[in-house]
Amino acid sequence: MSFLFPIVYSAALIYLVWKAFKVMSNGWGALDKQPNRSYKTNIKQKKYTIHPELLDKSGNITQEELLTVRFSNDTDSTLEEKGTTTD
């Protein structure tokens, strides 16, 4: 039985390496089929993202007061510039 294990292990390893190269060759082939395709898209991207937690059921931004956290070593001065107060 001990002589059978290295044979089965080697066969499984060779099979998995062969499958890996086969999958990778499919990816390389996809690039070769479209050499003139530009990877730049003409879609304009939004400059900001609204998290789904900030939207109500109809998809509008909620008007309710939000809980915020400020850390003691925070050096952002935007709160002082806006005139808001912290506790």
Side-chain angles (χ1 to χ4, degrees), residues 29-78:
L31 290 176
D32 294 338
K33 291 177 185 175
Q34 300 174 356
N36 294 332
R37 183 175 177 188
S38 174
Y39 290 104
K40 295 180 181 178
T41 60
N42 292 332
I43 300 172
K44 293 183 180 180
Q45 295 180 354
K46 294 182 180 179
K47 295 185 185 225
Y48 57 91
T49 302
I50 299 174
H51 292 272
E53 296 87 3
L54 297 176
L55 301 177
D56 59 5
K57 290 181 181 179
S58 62
N60 299 322
I61 296 177
T62 59
Q63 298 299 322
E64 62 189 34
E65 193 170 322
L66 300 174
L67 175 68
T68 59
V69 177
R70 185 176 177 105
F71 297 97
S72 61
N73 61 353
D74 190 9
T75 58
D76 186 17
S77 62
T78 57

